[in-house]
């Protein structure tokens, strides 16, 4: 993991002291809420329906055990004993008191964490593949370049007041686990025919009220030019992005209205002015940062696979968990253990302080003290010996963290919705809980197979409903909660936006509607065909007919 140097630590410490004075002046009445708002947003503090909310950055979703223990400690001392992991690999506390926030931030700074650039019109927390460094199919560990981008973008003077927020995601693998095509910039590491490392650059993806899958504006950018090219993209956006209309201010609108080809020409012209200048990294700096991400010293786990085979054969419940929640690791004898934060009837993405402590302890004992956060609101132990998976699973059982449902219908993404969010116009959490309970039978979930269900409480799409195989969007209809259903979305390497299937449903009809869609799928699917593939093969007609009686 990357370790702060003196510059990093000084920066976050100074920011805590600065914010402490800003909070003091707000409480003393020296600052109005309007004056205080931009200051608190620059420190990740929102004012939600019931209380302030603090969004903590977890760069590229990587946490140490010490950091996770601190997050648990903060949850107990400053919140209500839990935290909420988000779709951008952050963590949110929903109940901190304003007067305690400076102390909370000081506690974060003590373990090299902060809340900078988790809100506001700046470059937000950089996200990455949660399997970075351990995925068998990756070209390079994307955390190296995510960290380089983090350092470049943090408090960047030219990009602190962009037309709107700006999100960057990086993946180093063919399988897209970072949803790079629906980010403002998505980077896919690849090698050219000569073996040189570089990136495919995608610009102008995004969700929200105008969802778009981003176009590729450069098929191959040599690695050494990464920062100057990103700077060129940001400069074009900063100059031409609309500041007169916040709904048209994202770079996706600029790319769409300008046209991808013309936008690319502008970026390339800008890049010619700054390439091979001091913007890109000096010699040796890339290697210095990469050294922080060297793989740990793995054991020679020669008999681990054999032991795992015996344990799987002897315990059917453990076998289910291994089948759904464990992924292959690039090191012989090791595995990636996914921890579902979606127990049946639970709140997607929530973890109690006790659960966070338990995962931290497991990481210390079995995973080189490392944890990952996924954009699908789960946790990962990235380095577990195969013959120690059984011990990990037994501990997870004790904390209700063992649900074997990864990628299944109950492994939903859901935003906080109207239970917390001031922007939402419908509830997401209770709907997710009811759907989870309706499909509580795990055998039924296994029979359904992979099904990505995503719920947003408003058009801002924090629940990524546009890219759900089944998406649910909460809308307000004359003061009543209704839910629009979309089908056929994907946030993976085959990215697509879902189609609205028909009129919206009132709250009490949504769970039945989802079950009707699933039953319709089971009636028409071909052998081993995913829900998404069935929809793409047959289109919406059989699903519309099941829901509405007509197609």
């Amino acid at each position: 993991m990357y370790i702060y140097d003196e510059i990093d630590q000084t920066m976050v410490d100074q920011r805590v002291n600065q914010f402490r004075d800003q909070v003091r002046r707000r409480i003393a009445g020296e600052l109005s809420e309007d004056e205080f708002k931009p200051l608190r947003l620059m420190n990740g503090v929102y004012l939600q329906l019931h209380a302030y909310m603090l969004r903590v950055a977890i760069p590229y979703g990587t946490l140490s055990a010490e950091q996770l223990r601190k997050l648990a400690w903060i949850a107990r001392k400053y919140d209500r004993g839990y935290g909420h992991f988000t779709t951008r690999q952050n963590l949110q506390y929903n109940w901190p008191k304003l007067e305690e926030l400076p102390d909370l931030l000081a506690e974060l700074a003590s373990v090299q964490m902060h809340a900078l650039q988790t809100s506001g019109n700046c470059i937000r927390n950089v996200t990455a593949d949660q399997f970075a460094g351990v995925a068998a199919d990756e070209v390079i560990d994307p955390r190296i370049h995510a960290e380089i981008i983090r350092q470049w973008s943090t408090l960047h003077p030219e990009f602190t007041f962009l037309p709107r927020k700006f999100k960057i995601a990086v993946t180093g693998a063919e399988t897209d686990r970072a949803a790079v095509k629906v980010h403002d910039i998505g980077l896919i590491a690849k090698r050219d025919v000569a073996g040189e490392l570089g990136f495919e650059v995608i610009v102008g993806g995004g969700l929200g009220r105008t969802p778009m899958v981003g176009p590729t504006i450069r098929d191959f950018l040599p690695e050494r030019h990464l920062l100057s090219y990103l700077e060129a993209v940001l400069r074009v956006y900063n100059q031409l992005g609309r500041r007169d209309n916040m709904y048209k201010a994202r770079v996706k609108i600029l790319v769409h209205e300008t046209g991808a080809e013309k936008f690319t020409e502008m970026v390339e012209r800008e890049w010619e002015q700054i390439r091979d200048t001091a913007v890109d990294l000096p010699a040796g700096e890339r290697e210095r940062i990469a050294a922080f991400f060297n793989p740990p010293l793995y054991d020679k786990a020669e008999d681990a696979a054999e032991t795992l085979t015996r344990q799987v054969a002897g315990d059917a419940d453990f076998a289910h968990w291994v089948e759904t929640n464990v992924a292959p690791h690039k090191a012989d004898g090791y595995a990636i253990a996914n921890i579902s934060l979606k127990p049946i009837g639970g709140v997607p993405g929530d973890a109690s302080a006790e659960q966070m402590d338990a995962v931290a302890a497991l990481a210390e004992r079995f995973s080189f003290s490392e944890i990952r956060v996924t954009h699908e609101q789960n946790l990962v132990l990235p380095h577990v010996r195969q013959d120690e998976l059984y011990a990990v699973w037994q501990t997870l059982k004790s904390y209700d963290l063992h649900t074997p449902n990864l990628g299944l219908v109950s492994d939903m993404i859901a935003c906080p919705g109207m239970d917390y969010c001031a922007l939402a116009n419908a509830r997401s959490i209770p709907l997710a809980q009811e759907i989870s309970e309706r499909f509580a039978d795990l055998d039924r979930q296994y029979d359904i197979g992979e099904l990505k269900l995503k719920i947003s409480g408003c058009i801002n799409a924090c629940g990524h409903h546009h890219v759900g195989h089944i998406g649910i969007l909460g809308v307000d209809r004359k003061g009543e909660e209704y839910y629009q259903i979309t089908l056929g979305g994907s946030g993976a390497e085959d990215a697509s936006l879902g189609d609205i299937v028909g009129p919206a449903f009132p709250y009490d009809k949504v769970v039945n509607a989802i079950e009707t869609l699933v039953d319709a799928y089971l009636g028409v699917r071909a052998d081993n065909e995913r829900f998404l593939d069935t929809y793409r093969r047959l289109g919406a007609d059989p699903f519309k007919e099941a829901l509405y009686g007509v197609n």
Side-chain angles (χ1 to χ4, degrees):
M1 284 184 60
Y2 181 76
I3 305 298
Y4 277 11
D5 61 16
E6 185 178 353
I7 295 174
D8 293 309
Q9 192 64 53
T10 299
M11 179 183 64
V12 297
D13 289 342
Q14 288 180 341
R15 178 55 75 90
V16 171
N17 292 334
Q18 184 185 52
F19 189 59
R20 188 181 298 280
D21 185 59
Q22 292 163 354
V23 170
R24 180 195 63 75
R25 287 190 286 154
R26 172 68 185 117
I27 292 173
E30 298 171 12
L31 293 174
S32 68
E33 173 55 28
D34 285 346
E35 292 169 326
F36 181 59
K37 182 178 178 180
L39 303 176
R40 62 172 168 77
L41 287 176
M42 292 178 73
N43 291 281
V45 180
Y46 291 74
L47 184 56
Q48 296 287 55
L49 282 177
H50 313 294
Y52 285 100
M53 178 271 282
L54 177 69
R55 182 177 294 155
V56 179
I58 302 174
Y60 35 91
T62 298
L63 277 171
S64 69
E66 180 189 20
Q67 289 172 328
L68 187 56
R69 284 190 190 282
K70 178 62 74 174
L71 293 176
W73 185 86
I74 289 172
R76 289 191 184 91
K77 183 171 177 62
Y78 296 106
D79 207 90
R80 295 187 177 181
Y82 68 95
H84 177 75
F85 290 97
T86 78
T87 52
R88 298 215 73 253
Q89 298 178 317
N90 297 311
L91 179 130
Q92 293 181 179
Y93 294 114
N94 287 312
W95 302 98
K97 297 180 177 64
L98 178 61
E99 61 271 24
E100 294 179 342
L101 278 169
D103 290 340
L104 192 166
L105 291 173
E107 293 291 347
L108 288 174
S110 73
V111 293
Q112 305 190 346
M113 299 188 76
H114 59 75
L116 301 176
Q117 297 184 198
T118 58
S119 61
N121 295 334
C122 56
I123 300 173
R124 299 288 187 89
N125 183 42
V126 180
T127 57
D129 183 352
Q130 68 270 18
F131 292 172
V134 295
D137 63 339
E138 73 179 9
V139 173
I140 191 172
D141 184 341
R143 293 175 301 167
I144 298 167
H145 297 89
E147 173 58 28
I148 290 170
I149 296 168
R150 185 196 70 79
Q151 295 191 23
W152 162 77
S153 63
T154 299
L155 304 185
H156 193 303
E158 192 174 342
F159 306 134
T160 299
F161 298 101
L162 293 166
R164 281 289 281 141
K165 57 189 172 183
F166 202 93
K167 301 174 180 177
I168 301 174
V170 191
T171 183
E174 292 180 4
T175 301
D176 182 6
R177 288 172 284 264
V180 296
K181 294 183 179 179
V182 288
H183 278 72
D184 295 300
I185 292 180
L187 298 170
I188 303 174
K190 57 169 50 174
R191 293 191 185 278
D192 66 8
V193 292
E196 183 181 4
L197 180 64
F199 294 92
E200 178 181 345
V201 182
I202 300 162
V203 179
L207 300 175
R209 67 181 59 238
T210 312
M212 294 183 187
V213 174
T216 295
I217 70 163
R218 205 169 220 281
D219 188 59
F220 186 80
L221 174 73
E223 179 203 23
R224 65 185 181 280
H225 293 306
L226 176 62
L227 292 187
S228 59
Y229 202 81
L230 293 184
E231 188 134 333
V233 173
L234 266 296
R235 283 187 172 188
V236 171
Y237 170 55
N238 205 17
Q239 181 180 10
L240 300 178
R242 291 185 59 173
R243 295 176 188 270
D244 62 321
N245 186 336
M246 67 176 293
Y247 302 116
K248 297 183 182 297
R250 296 291 294 271
V251 71
K252 62 188 175 186
I253 303 297
L254 177 63
V255 173
H256 181 263
E257 294 186 353
T258 305
E261 186 175 347
K262 187 175 179 182
F263 180 84
T264 303
E265 291 173 0
M266 290 190 289
V267 170
E268 295 282 331
R269 280 200 302 272
E270 182 67 30
W271 184 46
E272 285 300 317
Q273 305 298 316
I274 59 175
R275 64 182 294 180
D276 299 320
T277 66
V279 176
D280 283 310
L281 291 179
E285 181 62 7
R286 186 261 186 210
E287 288 69 25
R288 185 189 73 82
I289 292 174
F292 287 102
F293 301 98
N294 286 336
L297 296 174
Y298 295 118
D299 298 332
K300 291 183 178 178
E302 295 169 344
D303 299 327
E306 186 178 334
T307 301
L308 175 62
T309 300
R310 287 199 305 273
Q311 291 167 335
V312 164
D315 191 320
D317 291 339
F318 176 59
H320 282 311
W321 183 77
V322 170
E323 183 176 352
T324 57
N325 288 34
V326 174
H329 195 289
K330 65 167 58 173
D332 290 341
Y334 279 79
I336 303 167
N338 290 281
I339 301 171
S340 172
L341 296 182
K342 323 288 176 51
I344 299 303
V347 178
D350 273 13
S352 69
E354 291 71 24
Q355 289 175 322
M356 287 190 261
D357 277 339
V359 173
L362 286 171
E364 288 169 337
R365 185 177 175 191
F366 297 110
S367 186
F368 296 93
S369 293
E370 193 174 321
I371 303 106
R372 308 285 178 80
V373 181
T374 82
H375 88 274
E376 294 189 318
Q377 300 179 290
N378 292 313
L379 300 178
V380 174
L381 296 174
H383 317 282
V384 182
R385 279 180 60 120
Q386 292 180 7
D387 53 358
E388 293 178 335
L389 284 167
Y390 193 63
V392 169
W393 174 73
Q394 288 177 312
T395 299
L396 293 176
K397 278 178 65 178
S398 303
Y399 292 90
D400 200 19
L401 292 167
H402 66 299
T403 309
N405 62 346
L406 215 75
L408 304 179
V409 63
S410 64
D411 181 22
M412 284 170 277
I413 286 179
C415 72
M418 206 161 60
D419 287 284
Y420 296 99
C421 181
L423 300 176
N425 46 35
R427 292 168 293 166
S428 299
I429 292 173
L431 187 57
Q433 291 172 307
E434 290 184 33
I435 293 172
S436 172
E437 288 165 352
R438 178 66 64 90
F439 291 93
D441 184 344
L442 284 169
D443 287 336
R444 186 184 184 194
Q445 292 193 50
Y446 299 144
D447 180 47
I448 296 166
E450 182 183 300
L451 205 172
K452 306 276 187 177
L453 198 155
K454 305 174 192 289
I455 308 173
S456 300
C458 76
I459 196 62
N460 291 298
C462 294
H464 292 190
H465 67 277
H466 295 298
V467 291
H469 299 175
I470 297 177
I472 301 175
L473 166 64
V475 296
D476 176 82
R477 184 179 289 180
K478 297 181 179 178
E480 292 188 34
E481 297 167 288
Y482 272 70
Y483 294 83
Q484 195 175 70
I485 295 176
T486 54
L487 300 177
S490 171
E493 60 277 9
D494 58 349
S496 60
L497 302 175
D499 307 312
I500 297 173
V501 72
F505 292 88
Y507 182 93
D508 60 355
K509 303 292 185 187
V510 177
V511 179
N512 285 340
I514 299 304
E515 188 167 39
T516 297
L517 287 169
V518 171
D519 288 342
Y521 152 67
L522 294 175
V524 297
R525 71 176 173 185
D527 291 343
N528 299 317
E529 193 176 43
R530 298 180 306 164
F531 180 95
L532 180 61
D533 296 325
T534 298
Y535 178 80
R536 286 174 171 173
R537 177 171 59 85
L538 297 176
D541 284 353
F543 299 97
K544 284 184 177 180
E545 184 171 353
L547 278 180
Y548 305 107
V550 294
N551 59 41

